[in-house]
PDB file of all heavy atoms in Angstrom:
ATOM      1  N   ALA A 138      56.932-187.230-105.081  1.00 97.00           N
ATOM      2  CA  ALA A 138      55.655-186.563-104.959  1.00 97.00           C
ATOM      3  C   ALA A 138      54.733-187.579-104.306  1.00 97.00           C
ATOM      4  O   ALA A 138      53.911-187.059-103.469  1.00 97.00           O
ATOM      5  CB  ALA A 138      55.053-186.075-106.172  1.00 97.00           C
ATOM      6  N   GLU A 139      54.699-188.729-104.586  1.00 97.00           N
ATOM      7  CA  GLU A 139      53.896-189.835-103.956  1.00 97.00           C
ATOM      8  C   GLU A 139      54.193-189.964-102.553  1.00 97.00           C
ATOM      9  O   GLU A 139      53.248-189.922-101.785  1.00 97.00           O
ATOM     10  CB  GLU A 139      53.991-191.139-104.687  1.00 97.00           C
ATOM     11  CG  GLU A 139      53.282-192.265-104.157  1.00 97.00           C
ATOM     12  CD  GLU A 139      53.673-193.672-104.891  1.00 97.00           C
ATOM     13  OE1 GLU A 139      54.849-193.972-104.884  1.00 97.00           O
ATOM     14  OE2 GLU A 139      52.687-194.230-105.307  1.00 97.00           O
ATOM     15  N   ALA A 140      55.396-189.871-102.260  1.00 97.00           N
ATOM     16  CA  ALA A 140      55.918-190.072-100.817  1.00 97.00           C
ATOM     17  C   ALA A 140      55.517-188.788-100.024  1.00 97.00           C
ATOM     18  O   ALA A 140      55.145-188.757 -98.885  1.00 97.00           O
ATOM     19  CB  ALA A 140      57.344-190.303-100.702  1.00 97.00           C
ATOM     20  N   GLN A 141      55.664-187.594-100.665  1.00 97.00           N
ATOM     21  CA  GLN A 141      55.180-186.403 -99.981  1.00 97.00           C
ATOM     22  C   GLN A 141      53.691-186.475 -99.643  1.00 97.00           C
ATOM     23  O   GLN A 141      53.231-185.973 -98.634  1.00 97.00           O
ATOM     24  CB  GLN A 141      55.474-185.248-100.956  1.00 97.00           C
ATOM     25  CG  GLN A 141      56.984-184.912-101.043  1.00 97.00           C
ATOM     26  CD  GLN A 141      57.407-183.987-102.119  1.00 97.00           C
ATOM     27  OE1 GLN A 141      56.479-183.613-102.996  1.00 97.00           O
ATOM     28  NE2 GLN A 141      58.586-183.541-102.120  1.00 97.00           N
ATOM     29  N   GLY A 142      52.921-186.899-100.658  1.00 97.00           N
ATOM     30  CA  GLY A 142      51.504-187.057-100.437  1.00 97.00           C
ATOM     31  C   GLY A 142      51.166-188.041 -99.351  1.00 97.00           C
ATOM     32  O   GLY A 142      50.174-187.858 -98.482  1.00 97.00           O
ATOM     33  N   ASP A 143      51.912-189.144 -99.243  1.00 97.00           N
ATOM     34  CA  ASP A 143      51.823-190.151 -98.086  1.00 97.00           C
ATOM     35  C   ASP A 143      52.075-189.605 -96.779  1.00 97.00           C
ATOM     36  O   ASP A 143      51.445-189.618 -95.799  1.00 97.00           O
ATOM     37  CB  ASP A 143      52.622-191.264 -98.368  1.00 97.00           C
ATOM     38  CG  ASP A 143      52.207-192.182 -99.547  1.00 97.00           C
ATOM     39  OD1 ASP A 143      51.003-192.081 -99.792  1.00 97.00           O
ATOM     40  OD2 ASP A 143      53.107-193.012 -99.879  1.00 97.00           O
ATOM     41  N   LEU A 144      53.053-188.579 -96.838  1.00 98.00           N
ATOM     42  CA  LEU A 144      53.376-187.928 -95.477  1.00 98.00           C
ATOM     43  C   LEU A 144      52.295-187.037 -95.096  1.00 98.00           C
ATOM     44  O   LEU A 144      52.011-186.907 -93.859  1.00 98.00           O
ATOM     45  CB  LEU A 144      54.663-187.205 -95.534  1.00 98.00           C
ATOM     46  CG  LEU A 144      56.055-187.989 -95.719  1.00 98.00           C
ATOM     47  CD1 LEU A 144      57.281-187.202 -95.855  1.00 98.00           C
ATOM     48  CD2 LEU A 144      56.097-189.014 -94.465  1.00 98.00           C
ATOM     49  N   LEU A 145      51.731-186.330 -96.125  1.00 97.00           N
ATOM     50  CA  LEU A 145      50.710-185.488 -95.732  1.00 97.00           C
ATOM     51  C   LEU A 145      49.507-186.221 -95.254  1.00 97.00           C
ATOM     52  O   LEU A 145      48.765-185.836 -94.237  1.00 97.00           O
ATOM     53  CB  LEU A 145      50.227-184.599 -96.869  1.00 97.00           C
ATOM     54  CG  LEU A 145      51.296-183.471 -97.343  1.00 97.00           C
ATOM     55  CD1 LEU A 145      50.939-182.938 -98.700  1.00 97.00           C
ATOM     56  CD2 LEU A 145      51.397-182.437 -96.250  1.00 97.00           C
ATOM     57  N   ALA A 146      49.157-187.320 -95.887  1.00 97.00           N
ATOM     58  CA  ALA A 146      47.920-188.227 -95.474  1.00 97.00           C
ATOM     59  C   ALA A 146      48.135-188.703 -94.184  1.00 97.00           C
ATOM     60  O   ALA A 146      47.361-188.814 -93.160  1.00 97.00           O
ATOM     61  CB  ALA A 146      47.865-189.282 -96.486  1.00 97.00           C
ATOM     62  N   CYS A 147      49.447-189.119 -93.840  1.00 97.00           N
ATOM     63  CA  CYS A 147      49.839-189.748 -92.502  1.00 97.00           C
ATOM     64  C   CYS A 147      49.831-188.661 -91.300  1.00 97.00           C
ATOM     65  O   CYS A 147      49.424-188.948 -90.223  1.00 97.00           O
ATOM     66  CB  CYS A 147      51.273-190.382 -92.554  1.00 97.00           C
ATOM     67  SG  CYS A 147      51.181-191.854 -93.476  1.00 97.00           S
ATOM     68  N   ALA A 148      50.186-187.317 -91.896  1.00 97.00           N
ATOM     69  CA  ALA A 148      49.913-186.295 -90.776  1.00 97.00           C
ATOM     70  C   ALA A 148      48.435-185.969 -90.514  1.00 97.00           C
ATOM     71  O   ALA A 148      48.164-185.928 -89.280  1.00 97.00           O
ATOM     72  CB  ALA A 148      50.539-184.949 -91.425  1.00 97.00           C
ATOM     73  N   LEU A 149      47.700-186.189 -91.397  1.00 97.00           N
ATOM     74  CA  LEU A 149      46.193-186.114 -91.095  1.00 97.00           C
ATOM     75  C   LEU A 149      45.812-187.224 -90.226  1.00 97.00           C
ATOM     76  O   LEU A 149      44.948-187.123 -89.385  1.00 97.00           O
ATOM     77  CB  LEU A 149      45.304-186.075 -92.388  1.00 97.00           C
ATOM     78  CG  LEU A 149      45.455-184.761 -93.262  1.00 97.00           C
ATOM     79  CD1 LEU A 149      44.665-185.042 -94.662  1.00 97.00           C
ATOM     80  CD2 LEU A 149      44.836-183.689 -92.427  1.00 97.00           C
ATOM     81  N   GLY A 150      46.290-188.469 -90.556  1.00 96.00           N
ATOM     82  CA  GLY A 150      45.996-189.607 -89.660  1.00 96.00           C
ATOM     83  C   GLY A 150      46.476-189.305 -88.209  1.00 96.00           C
ATOM     84  O   GLY A 150      45.805-189.756 -87.244  1.00 96.00           O
ATOM     85  N   MET A 151      47.634-188.736 -88.088  1.00 96.00           N
ATOM     86  CA  MET A 151      48.220-188.507 -86.815  1.00 96.00           C
ATOM     87  C   MET A 151      47.354-187.445 -85.953  1.00 96.00           C
ATOM     88  O   MET A 151      47.073-187.715 -84.938  1.00 96.00           O
ATOM     89  CB  MET A 151      49.688-187.966 -86.775  1.00 96.00           C
ATOM     90  CG  MET A 151      50.678-188.865 -87.299  1.00 96.00           C
ATOM     91  SD  MET A 151      50.899-190.306 -86.107  1.00 96.00           S
ATOM     92  CE  MET A 151      51.669-189.366 -84.868  1.00 96.00           C
ATOM     93  N   GLU A 152      46.610-186.474 -86.757  1.00 96.00           N
ATOM     94  CA  GLU A 152      45.813-185.585 -86.067  1.00 96.00           C
ATOM     95  C   GLU A 152      44.555-186.300 -85.541  1.00 96.00           C
ATOM     96  O   GLU A 152      43.989-185.983 -84.510  1.00 96.00           O
ATOM     97  CB  GLU A 152      45.574-184.367 -86.960  1.00 96.00           C
ATOM     98  CG  GLU A 152      46.782-183.487 -87.428  1.00 96.00           C
ATOM     99  CD  GLU A 152      47.399-182.909 -86.090  1.00 96.00           C
ATOM    100  OE1 GLU A 152      46.606-182.675 -85.060  1.00 96.00           O
ATOM    101  OE2 GLU A 152      48.570-182.610 -86.199  1.00 96.00           O
ATOM    102  N   ARG A 153      44.046-187.130 -86.340  1.00 95.00           N
ATOM    103  CA  ARG A 153      42.865-187.912 -86.052  1.00 95.00           C
ATOM    104  C   ARG A 153      43.206-188.797 -84.785  1.00 95.00           C
ATOM    105  O   ARG A 153      42.477-188.906 -83.831  1.00 95.00           O
ATOM    106  CB  ARG A 153      42.454-188.784 -87.235  1.00 95.00           C
ATOM    107  CG  ARG A 153      41.620-188.041 -88.376  1.00 95.00           C
ATOM    108  CD  ARG A 153      40.920-188.986 -89.260  1.00 95.00           C
ATOM    109  NE  ARG A 153      41.895-189.982 -89.869  1.00 95.00           N
ATOM    110  CZ  ARG A 153      42.540-189.687 -91.034  1.00 95.00           C
ATOM    111  NH1 ARG A 153      42.318-188.631 -91.636  1.00 95.00           N
ATOM    112  NH2 ARG A 153      43.267-190.667 -91.553  1.00 95.00           N
ATOM    113  N   TRP A 154      44.400-189.420 -84.836  1.00 94.00           N
ATOM    114  CA  TRP A 154      44.844-190.186 -83.698  1.00 94.00           C
ATOM    115  C   TRP A 154      44.863-189.425 -82.525  1.00 94.00           C
ATOM    116  O   TRP A 154      44.390-189.886 -81.539  1.00 94.00           O
ATOM    117  CB  TRP A 154      46.259-190.749 -84.136  1.00 94.00           C
ATOM    118  CG  TRP A 154      46.877-191.617 -83.113  1.00 94.00           C
ATOM    119  CD1 TRP A 154      47.735-191.239 -82.113  1.00 94.00           C
ATOM    120  CD2 TRP A 154      46.693-193.118 -82.934  1.00 94.00           C
ATOM    121  NE1 TRP A 154      48.240-192.233 -81.426  1.00 94.00           N
ATOM    122  CE2 TRP A 154      47.523-193.389 -81.839  1.00 94.00           C
ATOM    123  CE3 TRP A 154      45.980-193.962 -83.527  1.00 94.00           C
ATOM    124  CZ2 TRP A 154      47.662-194.646 -81.227  1.00 94.00           C
ATOM    125  CZ3 TRP A 154      46.039-195.209 -82.955  1.00 94.00           C
ATOM    126  CH2 TRP A 154      46.811-195.581 -81.948  1.00 94.00           C
ATOM    127  N   ALA A 155      45.501-188.265 -82.582  1.00 94.00           N
ATOM    128  CA  ALA A 155      45.610-187.399 -81.289  1.00 94.00           C
ATOM    129  C   ALA A 155      44.301-186.754 -80.893  1.00 94.00           C
ATOM    130  O   ALA A 155      44.149-186.396 -79.713  1.00 94.00           O
ATOM    131  CB  ALA A 155      46.638-186.317 -81.586  1.00 94.00           C
ATOM    132  N   GLY A 156      43.378-186.599 -81.858  1.00 93.00           N
ATOM    133  CA  GLY A 156      42.081-186.125 -81.575  1.00 93.00           C
ATOM    134  C   GLY A 156      41.257-186.823 -80.639  1.00 93.00           C
ATOM    135  O   GLY A 156      40.556-186.375 -79.688  1.00 93.00           O
ATOM    136  N   GLY A 157      41.464-188.288 -80.539  1.00 89.00           N
ATOM    137  CA  GLY A 157      40.737-189.160 -79.682  1.00 89.00           C
ATOM    138  C   GLY A 157      41.553-189.489 -78.327  1.00 89.00           C
ATOM    139  O   GLY A 157      41.044-189.899 -77.423  1.00 89.00           O
ATOM    140  N   ARG A 158      42.776-189.206 -78.504  1.00 91.00           N
ATOM    141  CA  ARG A 158      43.735-189.622 -77.337  1.00 91.00           C
ATOM    142  C   ARG A 158      44.499-188.474 -76.688  1.00 91.00           C
ATOM    143  O   ARG A 158      45.057-188.541 -75.670  1.00 91.00           O
ATOM    144  CB  ARG A 158      44.868-190.623 -77.779  1.00 91.00           C
ATOM    145  CG  ARG A 158      44.260-191.885 -78.229  1.00 91.00           C
ATOM    146  CD  ARG A 158      45.210-192.787 -79.118  1.00 91.00           C
ATOM    147  NE  ARG A 158      44.624-193.919 -79.544  1.00 91.00           N
ATOM    148  CZ  ARG A 158      43.972-194.104 -80.596  1.00 91.00           C
ATOM    149  NH1 ARG A 158      43.478-193.022 -81.231  1.00 91.00           N
ATOM    150  NH2 ARG A 158      43.455-195.180 -80.848  1.00 91.00           N
ATOM    151  N   PHE A 159      44.405-187.195 -77.212  1.00 93.00           N
ATOM    152  CA  PHE A 159      45.048-186.044 -76.861  1.00 93.00           C
ATOM    153  C   PHE A 159      46.532-186.236 -76.680  1.00 93.00           C
ATOM    154  O   PHE A 159      47.209-185.571 -75.913  1.00 93.00           O
ATOM    155  CB  PHE A 159      44.425-185.630 -75.421  1.00 93.00           C
ATOM    156  CG  PHE A 159      42.939-185.416 -75.524  1.00 93.00           C
ATOM    157  CD1 PHE A 159      42.033-186.280 -75.065  1.00 93.00           C
ATOM    158  CD2 PHE A 159      42.535-184.235 -76.169  1.00 93.00           C
ATOM    159  CE1 PHE A 159      40.648-186.065 -75.144  1.00 93.00           C
ATOM    160  CE2 PHE A 159      41.144-184.004 -76.344  1.00 93.00           C
ATOM    161  CZ  PHE A 159      40.211-184.869 -75.850  1.00 93.00           C
ATOM    162  N   SER A 160      47.111-187.062 -77.603  1.00 94.00           N
ATOM    163  CA  SER A 160      48.529-187.355 -77.690  1.00 94.00           C
ATOM    164  C   SER A 160      48.875-188.007 -78.894  1.00 94.00           C
ATOM    165  O   SER A 160      48.057-188.596 -79.564  1.00 94.00           O
ATOM    166  CB  SER A 160      48.942-188.278 -76.477  1.00 94.00           C
ATOM    167  OG  SER A 160      50.196-188.735 -76.571  1.00 94.00           O
ATOM    168  N   TYR A 161      50.170-187.808 -79.345  1.00 95.00           N
ATOM    169  CA  TYR A 161      50.647-188.363 -80.563  1.00 95.00           C
ATOM    170  C   TYR A 161      51.364-189.671 -80.192  1.00 95.00           C
ATOM    171  O   TYR A 161      52.049-190.275 -80.966  1.00 95.00           O
ATOM    172  CB  TYR A 161      51.595-187.533 -81.289  1.00 95.00           C
ATOM    173  CG  TYR A 161      51.126-186.306 -81.787  1.00 95.00           C
ATOM    174  CD1 TYR A 161      51.505-185.069 -81.363  1.00 95.00           C
ATOM    175  CD2 TYR A 161      50.104-186.345 -82.771  1.00 95.00           C
ATOM    176  CE1 TYR A 161      50.712-183.931 -81.718  1.00 95.00           C
ATOM    177  CE2 TYR A 161      49.443-185.215 -83.331  1.00 95.00           C
ATOM    178  CZ  TYR A 161      49.714-183.943 -82.827  1.00 95.00           C
ATOM    179  OH  TYR A 161      49.247-182.829 -83.313  1.00 95.00           O
ATOM    180  N   GLU A 162      51.311-190.247 -78.986  1.00 95.00           N
ATOM    181  CA  GLU A 162      52.063-191.479 -78.473  1.00 95.00           C
ATOM    182  C   GLU A 162      51.482-192.627 -79.058  1.00 95.00           C
ATOM    183  O   GLU A 162      50.316-192.694 -79.393  1.00 95.00           O
ATOM    184  CB  GLU A 162      52.052-191.383 -76.987  1.00 95.00           C
ATOM    185  CG  GLU A 162      52.789-190.389 -76.351  1.00 95.00           C
ATOM    186  CD  GLU A 162      52.727-190.361 -74.832  1.00 95.00           C
ATOM    187  OE1 GLU A 162      51.654-190.855 -74.258  1.00 95.00           O
ATOM    188  OE2 GLU A 162      53.591-189.854 -74.177  1.00 95.00           O
ATOM    189  N   SER A 163      52.273-193.622 -79.057  1.00 94.00           N
ATOM    190  CA  SER A 163      51.774-194.994 -79.584  1.00 94.00           C
ATOM    191  C   SER A 163      51.327-195.071 -80.906  1.00 94.00           C
ATOM    192  O   SER A 163      50.422-195.846 -81.206  1.00 94.00           O
ATOM    193  CB  SER A 163      50.860-195.635 -78.550  1.00 94.00           C
ATOM    194  OG  SER A 163      51.473-195.722 -77.173  1.00 94.00           O
ATOM    195  N   ALA A 164      51.803-194.386 -81.878  1.00 95.00           N
ATOM    196  CA  ALA A 164      51.424-194.390 -83.241  1.00 95.00           C
ATOM    197  C   ALA A 164      52.283-195.257 -84.182  1.00 95.00           C
ATOM    198  O   ALA A 164      51.857-195.523 -85.350  1.00 95.00           O
ATOM    199  CB  ALA A 164      51.363-193.050 -83.815  1.00 95.00           C
ATOM    200  N   ALA A 165      53.345-195.820 -83.588  1.00 95.00           N
ATOM    201  CA  ALA A 165      54.265-196.639 -84.317  1.00 95.00           C
ATOM    202  C   ALA A 165      53.867-198.110 -84.227  1.00 95.00           C
ATOM    203  O   ALA A 165      53.407-198.574 -83.124  1.00 95.00           O
ATOM    204  CB  ALA A 165      55.704-196.465 -83.905  1.00 95.00           C
ATOM    205  N   ASP A 166      54.049-199.026 -85.230  1.00 95.00           N
ATOM    206  CA  ASP A 166      53.775-200.292 -85.255  1.00 95.00           C
ATOM    207  C   ASP A 166      55.109-201.089 -85.184  1.00 95.00           C
ATOM    208  O   ASP A 166      55.592-201.430 -86.347  1.00 95.00           O
ATOM    209  CB  ASP A 166      52.935-200.760 -86.458  1.00 95.00           C
ATOM    210  CG  ASP A 166      52.511-202.264 -86.384  1.00 95.00           C
ATOM    211  OD1 ASP A 166      52.706-202.976 -85.557  1.00 95.00           O
ATOM    212  OD2 ASP A 166      52.130-202.732 -87.487  1.00 95.00           O
ATOM    213  N   THR A 167      55.612-201.560 -84.101  1.00 95.00           N
ATOM    214  CA  THR A 167      56.817-202.283 -84.112  1.00 95.00           C
ATOM    215  C   THR A 167      56.712-203.654 -84.123  1.00 95.00           C
ATOM    216  O   THR A 167      57.646-204.469 -84.274  1.00 95.00           O
ATOM    217  CB  THR A 167      57.629-201.888 -82.688  1.00 95.00           C
ATOM    218  OG1 THR A 167      56.813-202.224 -81.650  1.00 95.00           O
ATOM    219  CG2 THR A 167      57.876-200.428 -82.701  1.00 95.00           C
ATOM    220  N   ASP A 168      55.414-204.256 -83.976  1.00 94.00           N
ATOM    221  CA  ASP A 168      55.414-205.755 -83.957  1.00 94.00           C
ATOM    222  C   ASP A 168      54.635-206.213 -85.260  1.00 94.00           C
ATOM    223  O   ASP A 168      54.351-207.357 -85.509  1.00 94.00           O
ATOM    224  CB  ASP A 168      54.570-206.271 -82.744  1.00 94.00           C
ATOM    225  CG  ASP A 168      53.196-205.765 -82.639  1.00 94.00           C
ATOM    226  OD1 ASP A 168      52.686-204.977 -83.397  1.00 94.00           O
ATOM    227  OD2 ASP A 168      52.582-205.891 -81.589  1.00 94.00           O
ATOM    228  N   GLY A 169      54.264-205.328 -86.131  1.00 91.00           N
ATOM    229  CA  GLY A 169      53.680-205.739 -87.573  1.00 91.00           C
ATOM    230  C   GLY A 169      52.282-206.100 -87.480  1.00 91.00           C
ATOM    231  O   GLY A 169      51.812-206.668 -88.475  1.00 91.00           O
ATOM    232  N   ASP A 170      51.645-205.812 -86.433  1.00 94.00           N
ATOM    233  CA  ASP A 170      50.154-206.054 -86.525  1.00 94.00           C
ATOM    234  C   ASP A 170      49.138-205.124 -87.045  1.00 94.00           C
ATOM    235  O   ASP A 170      47.870-205.260 -87.062  1.00 94.00           O
ATOM    236  CB  ASP A 170      49.690-206.624 -85.140  1.00 94.00           C
ATOM    237  CG  ASP A 170      49.753-205.465 -84.090  1.00 94.00           C
ATOM    238  OD1 ASP A 170      50.111-204.290 -84.448  1.00 94.00           O
ATOM    239  OD2 ASP A 170      49.262-205.607 -82.991  1.00 94.00           O
ATOM    240  N   GLY A 171      49.759-203.918 -87.415  1.00 89.00           N
ATOM    241  CA  GLY A 171      48.892-202.968 -88.087  1.00 89.00           C
ATOM    242  C   GLY A 171      48.412-201.829 -87.070  1.00 89.00           C
ATOM    243  O   GLY A 171      47.919-200.781 -87.488  1.00 89.00           O
ATOM    244  N   SER A 172      48.489-202.065 -85.822  1.00 90.00           N
ATOM    245  CA  SER A 172      48.131-201.002 -84.806  1.00 90.00           C
ATOM    246  C   SER A 172      49.121-200.516 -84.046  1.00 90.00           C
ATOM    247  O   SER A 172      50.206-201.152 -83.891  1.00 90.00           O
ATOM    248  CB  SER A 172      47.071-201.668 -83.826  1.00 90.00           C
ATOM    249  OG  SER A 172      47.569-202.730 -83.025  1.00 90.00           O
ATOM    250  N   GLY A 173      49.164-199.349 -83.557  1.00 91.00           N
ATOM    251  CA  GLY A 173      50.186-198.704 -82.801  1.00 91.00           C
ATOM    252  C   GLY A 173      50.434-199.386 -81.430  1.00 91.00           C
ATOM    253  O   GLY A 173      49.656-199.558 -80.646  1.00 91.00           O
ATOM    254  N   ASP A 174      51.763-199.346 -81.124  1.00 93.00           N
ATOM    255  CA  ASP A 174      52.294-199.932 -79.932  1.00 93.00           C
ATOM    256  C   ASP A 174      53.423-199.361 -79.329  1.00 93.00           C
ATOM    257  O   ASP A 174      54.096-199.805 -78.259  1.00 93.00           O
ATOM    258  CB  ASP A 174      52.384-201.488 -80.035  1.00 93.00           C
ATOM    259  CG  ASP A 174      53.313-201.891 -81.229  1.00 93.00           C
ATOM    260  OD1 ASP A 174      54.421-201.126 -81.333  1.00 93.00           O
ATOM    261  OD2 ASP A 174      53.040-202.897 -81.737  1.00 93.00           O
ATOM    262  N   ALA A 175      54.056-198.294 -79.994  1.00 94.00           N
ATOM    263  CA  ALA A 175      55.204-197.641 -79.485  1.00 94.00           C
ATOM    264  C   ALA A 175      55.278-196.243 -80.123  1.00 94.00           C
ATOM    265  O   ALA A 175      54.395-195.832 -80.864  1.00 94.00           O
ATOM    266  CB  ALA A 175      56.518-198.362 -80.146  1.00 94.00           C
ATOM    267  N   ASP A 176      56.191-195.360 -79.521  1.00 95.00           N
ATOM    268  CA  ASP A 176      56.288-194.064 -79.949  1.00 95.00           C
ATOM    269  C   ASP A 176      57.090-193.798 -81.192  1.00 95.00           C
ATOM    270  O   ASP A 176      56.873-192.779 -81.865  1.00 95.00           O
ATOM    271  CB  ASP A 176      56.866-193.294 -78.790  1.00 95.00           C
ATOM    272  CG  ASP A 176      55.928-193.159 -77.549  1.00 95.00           C
ATOM    273  OD1 ASP A 176      54.760-193.441 -77.689  1.00 95.00           O
ATOM    274  OD2 ASP A 176      56.417-192.857 -76.541  1.00 95.00           O
ATOM    275  N   SER A 177      58.050-194.746 -81.503  1.00 96.00           N
ATOM    276  CA  SER A 177      58.871-194.497 -82.723  1.00 96.00           C
ATOM    277  C   SER A 177      58.936-195.840 -83.392  1.00 96.00           C
ATOM    278  O   SER A 177      59.066-196.907 -82.843  1.00 96.00           O
ATOM    279  CB  SER A 177      60.336-194.093 -82.277  1.00 96.00           C
ATOM    280  OG  SER A 177      60.255-192.917 -81.700  1.00 96.00           O
ATOM    281  N   GLY A 178      58.943-195.759 -84.773  1.00 96.00           N
ATOM    282  CA  GLY A 178      59.057-196.794 -85.633  1.00 96.00           C
ATOM    283  C   GLY A 178      58.203-196.736 -86.857  1.00 96.00           C
ATOM    284  O   GLY A 178      57.558-195.634 -87.035  1.00 96.00           O
ATOM    285  N   PRO A 179      57.806-197.831 -87.545  1.00 96.00           N
ATOM    286  CA  PRO A 179      56.996-197.720 -88.804  1.00 96.00           C
ATOM    287  C   PRO A 179      55.605-197.309 -88.291  1.00 96.00           C
ATOM    288  O   PRO A 179      55.083-197.727 -87.353  1.00 96.00           O
ATOM    289  CB  PRO A 179      57.028-199.209 -89.222  1.00 96.00           C
ATOM    290  CG  PRO A 179      58.089-199.854 -88.559  1.00 96.00           C
ATOM    291  CD  PRO A 179      58.495-199.157 -87.313  1.00 96.00           C
ATOM    292  N   ILE A 180      55.022-196.340 -89.231  1.00 96.00           N
ATOM    293  CA  ILE A 180      53.755-195.953 -88.844  1.00 96.00           C
ATOM    294  C   ILE A 180      52.690-197.080 -88.886  1.00 96.00           C
ATOM    295  O   ILE A 180      52.851-197.885 -89.721  1.00 96.00           O
ATOM    296  CB  ILE A 180      53.352-194.681 -89.640  1.00 96.00           C
ATOM    297  CG1 ILE A 180      52.148-193.998 -89.047  1.00 96.00           C
ATOM    298  CG2 ILE A 180      53.077-195.065 -91.091  1.00 96.00           C
ATOM    299  CD1 ILE A 180      52.099-192.514 -89.378  1.00 96.00           C
ATOM    300  N   ALA A 181      51.793-197.078 -87.962  1.00 95.00           N
ATOM    301  CA  ALA A 181      50.776-198.034 -87.923  1.00 95.00           C
ATOM    302  C   ALA A 181      49.733-197.876 -88.992  1.00 95.00           C
ATOM    303  O   ALA A 181      49.449-196.801 -89.331  1.00 95.00           O
ATOM    304  CB  ALA A 181      49.913-198.026 -86.555  1.00 95.00           C
ATOM    305  N   ALA A 182      49.338-199.083 -89.691  1.00 94.00           N
ATOM    306  CA  ALA A 182      48.461-198.994 -90.686  1.00 94.00           C
ATOM    307  C   ALA A 182      47.040-198.372 -90.242  1.00 94.00           C
ATOM    308  O   ALA A 182      46.221-197.879 -91.123  1.00 94.00           O
ATOM    309  CB  ALA A 182      48.119-200.386 -91.290  1.00 94.00           C
ATOM    310  N   THR A 183      46.742-198.420 -88.963  1.00 94.00           N
ATOM    311  CA  THR A 183      45.522-197.871 -88.548  1.00 94.00           C
ATOM    312  C   THR A 183      45.539-196.390 -88.560  1.00 94.00           C
ATOM    313  O   THR A 183      44.501-195.658 -88.553  1.00 94.00           O
ATOM    314  CB  THR A 183      45.097-198.267 -87.157  1.00 94.00           C
ATOM    315  OG1 THR A 183      46.332-197.972 -86.282  1.00 94.00           O
ATOM    316  CG2 THR A 183      44.958-199.700 -86.940  1.00 94.00           C
ATOM    317  N   ILE A 184      46.700-195.825 -88.723  1.00 95.00           N
ATOM    318  CA  ILE A 184      46.884-194.383 -88.851  1.00 95.00           C
ATOM    319  C   ILE A 184      46.858-193.923 -90.399  1.00 95.00           C
ATOM    320  O   ILE A 184      46.022-193.023 -90.782  1.00 95.00           O
ATOM    321  CB  ILE A 184      48.133-193.931 -88.222  1.00 95.00           C
ATOM    322  CG1 ILE A 184      48.159-194.235 -86.848  1.00 95.00           C
ATOM    323  CG2 ILE A 184      48.416-192.456 -88.464  1.00 95.00           C
ATOM    324  CD1 ILE A 184      48.601-193.409 -85.831  1.00 95.00           C
ATOM    325  N   CYS A 185      47.645-194.625 -91.225  1.00 95.00           N
ATOM    326  CA  CYS A 185      47.707-194.369 -92.648  1.00 95.00           C
ATOM    327  C   CYS A 185      48.394-195.534 -93.296  1.00 95.00           C
ATOM    328  O   CYS A 185      49.232-196.241 -92.815  1.00 95.00           O
ATOM    329  CB  CYS A 185      48.307-193.048 -93.029  1.00 95.00           C
ATOM    330  SG  CYS A 185      50.146-193.176 -92.882  1.00 95.00           S
TER     331      CYS A 185
END
């Protein structure tokens, strides 16, 4: 249930992300700095 809640919170974060960029691209953090830099991978901490 905790992971399900995290997915829902991250989905809201993705909507906020796309609200300013009009795209869901570059939301993954592949270099571990916390911000999005790729389309696929661990979700960026700036999103959730």
Side-chain angles (χ1 to χ4, degrees):
E139 177 184 57
Q141 292 167 349
D143 287 343
L144 289 178
L145 291 169
C147 290
L149 289 173
M151 289 295 292
E152 294 301 334
R153 282 190 304 272
W154 178 264
R158 293 167 181 77
F159 302 103
S160 172
Y161 295 115
E162 294 174 332
S163 300
D166 177 17
T167 58
D168 60 7
D170 67 355
S172 59
D174 55 36
D176 294 341
S177 295
I180 194 154
T183 55
I184 301 219
C185 74

